[in-house]
Amino acid sequence: MNDFLIPVFICAILFIGLPWIVFHYVTKWKQAGTITREDENLLDDLYRTARMLEDRLMTVERIIAADNPDYRPLSAQRPEQVPYDPSRRN
């Protein structure tokens, strides 16, 4: 009886178990590789919030620079940024 069960288990593992594991993880990798619409909306909101915070920081730096002539704002050290274009998303 043992001589019969061992080859059956080995064949079941090789031809059913291993392909199932491989296909399961291939499907998971394909699903994880894409960004959902909710994620895109969240990223857009985060970008808009970051731009608003940057505008506020630049306003504060201008106010401080007006009060203190020796102050050197950080925004003067940064290169000019290209405006955000939402149509360039992937």
Side-chain angles (χ1 to χ4, degrees):
M1 185 81 171
N2 278 341
D3 294 338
F4 175 73
L5 288 179
I6 292 175
V8 170
F9 284 130
I10 291 174
C11 288
I13 289 171
L14 286 176
F15 294 109
I16 296 172
L18 290 177
W20 179 81
I21 290 173
V22 169
F23 289 131
H24 171 74
Y25 283 108
V26 165
T27 304
K28 291 288 183 184
W29 291 329
K30 285 184 180 181
Q31 289 175 352
T34 60
I35 187 169
T36 63
R37 188 69 179 151
E38 293 174 2
D39 292 339
E40 285 183 19
N41 292 337
L42 178 63
L43 285 173
D44 287 340
D45 290 341
L46 289 173
Y47 180 79
R48 276 189 235 105
T49 303
R51 292 298 294 201
M52 287 178 8
L53 290 173
E54 184 178 20
D55 290 342
R56 289 179 183 179
L57 177 66
M58 291 175 71
T59 302
V60 169
E61 287 178 348
R62 281 195 307 267
I63 293 170
I64 293 173
D67 290 341
N68 185 0
D70 296 332
Y71 177 72
R72 190 169 173 201
L74 293 174
S75 60
Q77 298 170 0
R78 287 183 241 149
E80 187 64 29
Q81 294 183 357
V82 178
Y84 176 67
D85 183 15
S87 65
R88 294 187 55 198
R89 290 188 299 196
N90 291 342

